């Protein structure tokens, strides 16, 4: 079992220790559930009230904390408790699944595929013709990577994921279980003779460096060219990204949100959970779309939008307040 003193933990996060404790720490836990051998954190002043009832000996806290740690307890004060806690969680992270051999004997790797040094390929994987796998890539069991794809160095692809032909994934990415990269875009046109005619989707998907794609998320290939996800994008579980959409750098999409075809997101755009974005819409740098919102038109940079159809947040709040008053008055 891993065990660290408060001094050893502080060497990792470079905070300032307040209070004293000799308790060794063997795990992390939220305040309400923590035991004396577990470290917790307070990332917001509204959670200070839970400290007295917690059994945690140590908490990582923001610098603006207004309470004292108490007897045989201590705080490690840092500028950002959430970021510091991510470093501590890495200390206690359990080992990843074991590979007995770098390439499992049941993996089907085409003879024309190029496998980088230190890459690991699990049981039941299929690596197609002319695929290029970078150095130190980890591909867990039952992943399919089809023809002419490239996977950048240090990328991790979890079980059940499918990367279809001619798609490209950058360095240091994480693709979670059952994600699908490069499925056909949703393209059909009505025909009096045949009903709905499928429009061939002959493009691909290009994913930048440091991108994370959640479980069961689908990124559709472009109809003509590429669907593009810029460096550092973080995509939650169960997200749909339609064909020919373009995401800038460091965009965030929360669970169950979706982009229709040919949506353009600038850098640093945040899309809340279950939000829907109409096709051929452009959302500017740093804009925020609230959870459950429906975007039907372009959004300028830096705006925060709420509602269905989405309007500026302050206008949405005014509308909701007026509606609440109207409903209240109707009941009198």
């Amino acid at each position: 079992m891993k065990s660290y003193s408060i001094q050893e933990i502080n060497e990792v996060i470079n905070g300032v220790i307040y209070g004293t404790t000799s308790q060794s720490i063997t795990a992390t836990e939220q305040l309400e559930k923590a035991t004396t051998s577990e470290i917790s954190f307070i990332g917001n002043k509204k959670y200070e009230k839970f400290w007295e009832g917690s059994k945690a000996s140590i908490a990582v806290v923001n610098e603006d904390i207004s309470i004292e740690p108490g007897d045989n307890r201590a705080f490690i004060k840092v500028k950002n408790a959430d970021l510091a806690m991510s470093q501590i969680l890495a200390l206690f992270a359990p080992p990843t699944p074991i590979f007995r051999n770098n390439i499992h004997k049941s993996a089907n790797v085409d003879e024309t595929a190029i496998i980088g040094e230190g890459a690991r390929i699990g049981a039941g994987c299929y690596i197609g013709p002319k695929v290029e796998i970078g150095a130190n890539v980890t591909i867990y069991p039952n992943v399919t990577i089809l023809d002419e794809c490239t996977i950048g160095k240090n990328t991790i692809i979890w079980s059940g994921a499918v990367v279809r032909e001619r798609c490209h994934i950058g360095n240091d990415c994480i693709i979670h279980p059952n994600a699908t990269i490069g499925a056909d875009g949703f393209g059909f046109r009505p025909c009096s003779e045949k009903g709905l005619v499928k429009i061939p989707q002959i493009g691909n998907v290009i994913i930048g460096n440091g991108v994370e794609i959640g479980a069961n998320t689908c990124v559709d290939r472009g109809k003509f060219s590429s669907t593009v996800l810029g460096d550092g994008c973080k995509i939650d579980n169960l997200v749909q990204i339609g064909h020919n959409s373009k995401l800038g750098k460091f965009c965030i999409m929360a669970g169950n949100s979706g982009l229709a075809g040919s949506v353009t997101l600038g850098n640093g755009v945040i899309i809340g959970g279950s939000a829907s974005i109409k096709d051929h819409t452009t959302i500017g740098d740093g804009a925020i779309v609230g959870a459950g919102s429906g975007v039907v038109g372009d959004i300028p940079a830096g705006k925060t939008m709420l509602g269905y159809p989405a309007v500026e947040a302050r206008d949405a709040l005014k509308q909701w307040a007026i509606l609440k008053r109207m409903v209240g008055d109707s009941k009198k």
Side-chain angles (χ1 to χ4, degrees), residues 74-255:
F75 291 149
I76 304 177
K77 291 189 177 183
V78 294
K79 289 184 178 180
N80 189 314
D82 290 323
L83 291 178
M85 203 63 190
S86 70
Q87 296 174 280
I88 295 172
L89 286 167
L91 284 178
F92 291 101
T96 56
I98 294 171
F99 281 76
R100 299 295 184 191
N101 301 291
N102 276 1
I103 300 179
H104 195 276
K105 63 182 180 180
S106 67
N108 187 339
V109 180
D110 190 87
E111 61 183 9
T112 63
I114 298 173
I115 309 300
E117 183 178 357
R120 302 183 297 173
I121 301 174
C125 290
Y126 174 80
I127 310 298
K130 299 182 181 179
V131 168
E132 295 184 19
I133 306 293
N136 302 312
V137 166
T138 300
I139 302 174
Y140 285 101
N142 300 316
V143 167
T144 297
I145 301 177
L146 295 177
D147 310 28
E148 300 181 30
C149 291
T150 61
I151 311 296
K153 64 183 181 181
N154 304 317
T155 285
I156 298 170
I157 304 180
W158 286 92
S159 295
V162 175
V163 185
R164 275 193 49 184
E165 61 276 15
R166 304 185 309 282
C167 291
H168 306 290
I169 299 174
N171 304 326
D172 304 298
C173 295
I174 301 174
I175 311 298
H176 285 282
N178 299 312
T180 300
I181 310 300
D184 285 358
F186 192 66
F188 300 90
R189 290 295 180 270
C191 172
S192 59
E193 297 176 354
K194 299 181 179 180
L196 291 175
V197 175
K198 181 176 177 63
I199 305 300
Q201 308 289 297
I202 64 172
N204 68 347
V205 174
I206 299 175
I207 294 175
N209 301 321
V211 174
E212 188 159 349
I213 307 289
N216 293 295
T217 282
C218 298
V219 183
D220 289 347
R221 67 177 51 248
K223 178 166 62 177
F224 301 118
S225 53
S226 302
T227 301
V228 179
L229 278 63
D231 294 348
C233 287
K234 308 300 180 186
I235 312 299
D236 200 357
N237 302 333
L238 297 166
V239 170
Q240 163 66 27
I241 298 177
H243 60 178
N244 291 103
S245 290
K246 313 288 185 192
L247 281 65
K249 295 181 178 181
F250 305 109
C251 294
I252 294 173
M253 293 186 65

Side-chain angles (χ1 to χ4, degrees), residues 47-86:
Y47 298 114
E48 291 179 359
K49 60 186 177 182
F50 297 114
W51 176 247
E52 184 176 356
S54 174
K55 295 180 180 179
S57 299
I58 304 170
V60 178
V61 301
N62 287 333
E63 293 175 337
D64 63 352
I65 194 85
S66 60
I67 58 175
E68 297 296 323
D71 293 339
N72 197 29
R73 306 177 85 188
F75 291 149
I76 304 177
K77 291 189 177 183
V78 294
K79 289 184 178 180
N80 189 314
D82 290 323
L83 291 178
M85 203 63 190
S86 70

